[in-house]
Tab-separated table of all heavy atoms in Angstrom:
chain	number	residue	atom	x	y	z
Q	1	VAL	N	143.134	192.273	140.113
Q	1	VAL	CA	144.003	191.115	140.155
Q	1	VAL	C	145.444	191.571	140.286
Q	1	VAL	O	145.862	192.541	139.666
Q	1	VAL	CB	143.810	190.227	138.897
Q	1	VAL	CG1	144.110	190.988	137.613
Q	1	VAL	CG2	144.676	188.984	138.991
Q	2	GLN	N	146.198	190.885	141.135
Q	2	GLN	CA	147.624	191.166	141.281
Q	2	GLN	C	148.395	190.029	140.628
Q	2	GLN	O	148.105	188.861	140.878
Q	2	GLN	CB	147.985	191.282	142.767
Q	2	GLN	CG	147.339	192.489	143.442
Q	2	GLN	CD	147.683	192.564	144.916
Q	2	GLN	OE1	147.681	191.550	145.604
Q	2	GLN	NE2	147.991	193.753	145.380
Q	3	LEU	N	149.372	190.397	139.826
Q	3	LEU	CA	150.093	189.414	139.028
Q	3	LEU	C	151.563	189.390	139.374
Q	3	LEU	O	152.160	190.436	139.660
Q	3	LEU	CB	149.940	189.746	137.539
Q	3	LEU	CG	148.509	189.791	137.018
Q	3	LEU	CD1	148.478	190.328	135.598
Q	3	LEU	CD2	147.872	188.410	137.084
Q	4	GLN	N	152.135	188.184	139.314
Q	4	GLN	CA	153.560	188.036	139.557
Q	4	GLN	C	154.177	187.217	138.446
Q	4	GLN	O	153.781	186.062	138.233
Q	4	GLN	CB	153.816	187.367	140.898
Q	4	GLN	CG	155.280	187.237	141.240
Q	4	GLN	CD	155.541	186.963	142.704
Q	4	GLN	OE1	154.602	186.840	143.488
Q	4	GLN	NE2	156.794	186.869	143.077
Q	5	ALA	N	155.129	187.813	137.752
Q	5	ALA	CA	155.838	187.132	136.674
Q	5	ALA	C	157.136	186.564	137.200
Q	5	ALA	O	157.786	187.163	138.056
Q	5	ALA	CB	156.107	188.099	135.529
Q	6	SER	N	157.521	185.411	136.663
Q	6	SER	CA	158.758	184.761	137.079
Q	6	SER	C	159.267	183.881	135.954
Q	6	SER	O	158.576	183.665	134.954
Q	6	SER	CB	158.518	183.913	138.333
Q	6	SER	OG	157.574	182.893	138.079
Q	19	LEU	N	158.354	181.274	131.037
Q	19	LEU	CA	157.919	182.295	131.977
Q	19	LEU	C	156.551	181.924	132.543
Q	19	LEU	O	155.735	181.303	131.846
Q	19	LEU	CB	157.837	183.659	131.294
Q	19	LEU	CG	159.088	184.148	130.580
Q	19	LEU	CD1	158.844	185.555	130.032
Q	19	LEU	CD2	160.292	184.119	131.481
Q	20	SER	N	156.324	182.322	133.781
Q	20	SER	CA	155.024	182.117	134.420
Q	20	SER	C	154.479	183.440	134.913
Q	20	SER	O	155.243	184.320	135.324
Q	20	SER	CB	155.162	181.160	135.614
Q	20	SER	OG	155.595	179.886	135.207
Q	21	CYS	N	153.176	183.566	134.875
Q	21	CYS	CA	152.485	184.752	135.386
Q	21	CYS	C	151.354	184.238	136.257
Q	21	CYS	O	150.388	183.666	135.745
Q	21	CYS	CB	151.962	185.586	134.233
Q	21	CYS	SG	150.853	186.927	134.723
Q	22	ALA	N	151.480	184.427	137.557
Q	22	ALA	CA	150.500	183.878	138.491
Q	22	ALA	C	149.722	184.991	139.167
Q	22	ALA	O	150.282	186.040	139.524
Q	22	ALA	CB	151.203	183.024	139.539
Q	23	ALA	N	148.447	184.756	139.349
Q	23	ALA	CA	147.637	185.687	140.126
Q	23	ALA	C	147.958	185.482	141.605
Q	23	ALA	O	148.138	184.350	142.062
Q	23	ALA	CB	146.160	185.435	139.870
Q	24	ALA	N	148.046	186.569	142.323
Q	24	ALA	CA	148.345	186.494	143.755
Q	24	ALA	C	147.242	185.741	144.482
Q	24	ALA	O	146.093	185.712	144.032
Q	24	ALA	CB	148.502	187.889	144.322
Q	25	SER	N	147.616	185.135	145.584
Q	25	SER	CA	146.656	184.381	146.379
Q	25	SER	C	145.443	185.241	146.718
Q	25	SER	O	145.585	186.394	147.122
Q	25	SER	CB	147.325	183.903	147.669
Q	25	SER	OG	146.406	183.229	148.493
Q	26	GLY	N	144.278	184.673	146.496
Q	26	GLY	CA	143.057	185.420	146.778
Q	26	GLY	C	142.544	186.223	145.614
Q	26	GLY	O	141.478	186.833	145.706
Q	27	THR	N	143.283	186.244	144.506
Q	27	THR	CA	142.827	186.948	143.297
Q	27	THR	C	142.780	185.965	142.145
Q	27	THR	O	143.415	184.909	142.192
Q	27	THR	CB	143.741	188.125	142.938
Q	27	THR	OG1	145.026	187.633	142.533
Q	27	THR	CG2	143.941	189.053	144.120
Q	28	THR	N	142.029	186.305	141.140
Q	28	THR	CA	141.923	185.447	139.957
Q	28	THR	C	142.030	186.298	138.703
Q	28	THR	O	141.908	187.521	138.751
Q	28	THR	CB	140.585	184.692	139.925
Q	28	THR	OG1	139.527	185.636	139.689
Q	28	THR	CG2	140.326	183.965	141.230
Q	29	PHE	N	142.249	185.610	137.591
Q	29	PHE	CA	142.311	186.316	136.319
Q	29	PHE	C	140.944	186.833	135.895
Q	29	PHE	O	140.853	187.750	135.094
Q	29	PHE	CB	142.837	185.394	135.219
Q	29	PHE	CG	144.292	185.059	135.346
Q	29	PHE	CD1	144.742	183.792	135.054
Q	29	PHE	CD2	145.213	186.015	135.745
Q	29	PHE	CE1	146.086	183.474	135.155
Q	29	PHE	CE2	146.556	185.712	135.850
Q	29	PHE	CZ	146.999	184.435	135.552
Q	34	MET	N	144.595	187.265	128.510
Q	34	MET	CA	145.857	187.610	129.158
Q	34	MET	C	146.951	187.746	128.109
Q	34	MET	O	146.909	187.077	127.070
Q	34	MET	CB	146.248	186.539	130.169
Q	34	MET	CG	145.304	186.436	131.363
Q	34	MET	SD	145.315	187.922	132.378
Q	34	MET	CE	147.026	187.942	132.949
Q	36	TRP	N	151.332	188.710	127.236
Q	36	TRP	CA	152.728	188.955	127.603
Q	36	TRP	C	153.251	190.115	126.761
Q	36	TRP	O	152.925	190.219	125.565
Q	36	TRP	CB	153.588	187.717	127.344
Q	36	TRP	CG	153.436	186.631	128.353
Q	36	TRP	CD1	152.655	185.515	128.254
Q	36	TRP	CD2	154.092	186.554	129.623
Q	36	TRP	NE1	152.777	184.751	129.386
Q	36	TRP	CE2	153.660	185.359	130.237
Q	36	TRP	CE3	155.009	187.350	130.305
Q	36	TRP	CZ2	154.112	184.959	131.501
Q	36	TRP	CZ3	155.452	186.952	131.557
Q	36	TRP	CH2	155.007	185.772	132.140
Q	73	ASP	N	146.600	177.957	132.650
Q	73	ASP	CA	145.970	176.956	133.491
Q	73	ASP	C	145.069	177.722	134.449
Q	73	ASP	O	145.546	178.270	135.456
Q	73	ASP	CB	147.022	176.150	134.251
Q	73	ASP	CG	146.423	175.019	135.073
Q	73	ASP	OD1	145.225	175.112	135.434
Q	73	ASP	OD2	147.134	174.075	135.378
Q	76	LYS	N	144.999	176.974	138.130
Q	76	LYS	CA	146.140	177.477	138.890
Q	76	LYS	C	146.284	178.989	138.777
Q	76	LYS	O	147.240	179.561	139.317
Q	76	LYS	CB	147.433	176.808	138.410
Q	76	LYS	CG	147.482	175.309	138.653
Q	76	LYS	CD	148.803	174.727	138.182
Q	76	LYS	CE	148.860	173.229	138.465
Q	76	LYS	NZ	150.153	172.632	138.006
Q	77	ASN	N	145.362	179.621	138.061
Q	77	ASN	CA	145.447	181.073	137.849
Q	77	ASN	C	146.833	181.483	137.355
Q	77	ASN	O	147.443	182.428	137.868
Q	77	ASN	CB	145.105	181.836	139.140
Q	77	ASN	CG	143.627	181.787	139.437
Q	77	ASN	OD1	142.806	182.165	138.604
Q	77	ASN	ND2	143.271	181.286	140.602
Q	78	THR	N	147.318	180.758	136.357
Q	78	THR	CA	148.664	180.991	135.842
Q	78	THR	C	148.665	180.979	134.318
Q	78	THR	O	147.990	180.164	133.699
Q	78	THR	CB	149.645	179.925	136.365
Q	78	THR	OG1	149.624	179.934	137.799
Q	78	THR	CG2	151.057	180.217	135.895
Q	79	VAL	N	149.410	181.902	133.754
Q	79	VAL	CA	149.636	181.976	132.315
Q	79	VAL	C	151.127	181.741	132.071
Q	79	VAL	O	151.962	182.209	132.848
Q	79	VAL	CB	149.213	183.344	131.754
Q	79	VAL	CG1	149.527	183.445	130.269
Q	79	VAL	CG2	147.737	183.571	131.988
Q	80	TYR	N	151.433	181.019	131.015
Q	80	TYR	CA	152.815	180.651	130.717
Q	80	TYR	C	153.229	181.219	129.357
Q	80	TYR	O	152.394	181.440	128.469
Q	80	TYR	CB	152.966	179.136	130.680
Q	80	TYR	CG	152.534	178.453	131.953
Q	80	TYR	CD1	151.268	177.876	132.053
Q	80	TYR	CD2	153.373	178.394	133.057
Q	80	TYR	CE1	150.855	177.255	133.214
Q	80	TYR	CE2	152.978	177.767	134.229
Q	80	TYR	CZ	151.716	177.195	134.306
Q	80	TYR	OH	151.320	176.581	135.458
Q	96	CYS	N	153.422	190.560	132.239
Q	96	CYS	CA	152.107	190.057	131.853
Q	96	CYS	C	151.030	191.020	132.342
Q	96	CYS	O	151.258	191.812	133.278
Q	96	CYS	CB	151.845	188.662	132.386
Q	96	CYS	SG	151.808	188.538	134.177
Q	97	ALA	N	149.886	190.944	131.703
Q	97	ALA	CA	148.765	191.811	132.057
Q	97	ALA	C	147.502	191.289	131.382
Q	97	ALA	O	147.595	190.620	130.339
Q	97	ALA	CB	149.029	193.248	131.618
Q	108	TYR	N	147.232	196.877	135.809
Q	108	TYR	CA	147.268	195.472	136.188
Q	108	TYR	C	148.573	194.789	135.815
Q	108	TYR	O	148.655	193.566	135.828
Q	108	TYR	CB	146.105	194.724	135.534
Q	108	TYR	CG	144.757	195.152	136.045
Q	108	TYR	CD1	144.025	196.129	135.368
Q	108	TYR	CD2	144.210	194.605	137.196
Q	108	TYR	CE1	142.779	196.532	135.826
Q	108	TYR	CE2	142.972	194.995	137.663
Q	108	TYR	CZ	142.267	195.957	136.969
Q	108	TYR	OH	141.036	196.358	137.429
Q	109	TRP	N	149.588	195.556	135.526
Q	109	TRP	CA	150.859	194.980	135.127
Q	109	TRP	C	151.454	194.145	136.245
Q	109	TRP	O	151.382	194.503	137.427
Q	109	TRP	CB	151.856	196.071	134.762
Q	109	TRP	CG	151.552	196.815	133.517
Q	109	TRP	CD1	151.061	198.086	133.417
Q	109	TRP	CD2	151.728	196.353	132.171
Q	109	TRP	NE1	150.929	198.440	132.093
Q	109	TRP	CE2	151.335	197.386	131.313
Q	109	TRP	CE3	152.187	195.149	131.621
Q	109	TRP	CZ2	151.379	197.278	129.919
Q	109	TRP	CZ3	152.243	195.048	130.246
Q	109	TRP	CH2	151.829	196.090	129.409
Q	110	SER	N	152.113	193.039	135.842
Q	110	SER	CA	152.954	192.317	136.779
Q	110	SER	C	154.255	193.093	136.949
Q	110	SER	O	154.550	194.032	136.194
Q	110	SER	CB	153.275	190.929	136.233
Q	110	SER	OG	154.143	191.037	135.115
Q	111	GLN	N	155.058	192.693	137.920
Q	111	GLN	CA	156.429	193.189	137.907
Q	111	GLN	C	157.132	192.480	136.759
Q	111	GLN	O	156.635	191.499	136.225
Q	111	GLN	CB	157.114	192.928	139.266
Q	111	GLN	CG	157.881	191.659	139.396
Q	111	GLN	CD	157.051	190.419	139.387
Q	111	GLN	OE1	155.840	190.455	139.402
Q	111	GLN	NE2	157.731	189.293	139.368
Side-chain angles (χ1 to χ4, degrees):
V1 60
Q2 294 179 318
L3 302 172
Q4 183 163 1
S6 61
L19 305 183
S20 297
C21 170
S25 177
T27 67
T28 69
F29 289 141
M34 294 295 297
W36 284 98
D73 184 336
K76 296 181 178 180
N77 287 305
T78 303
V79 177
Y80 303 98
C96 63
Y108 294 95
W109 291 105
S110 69
Q111 92 292 353

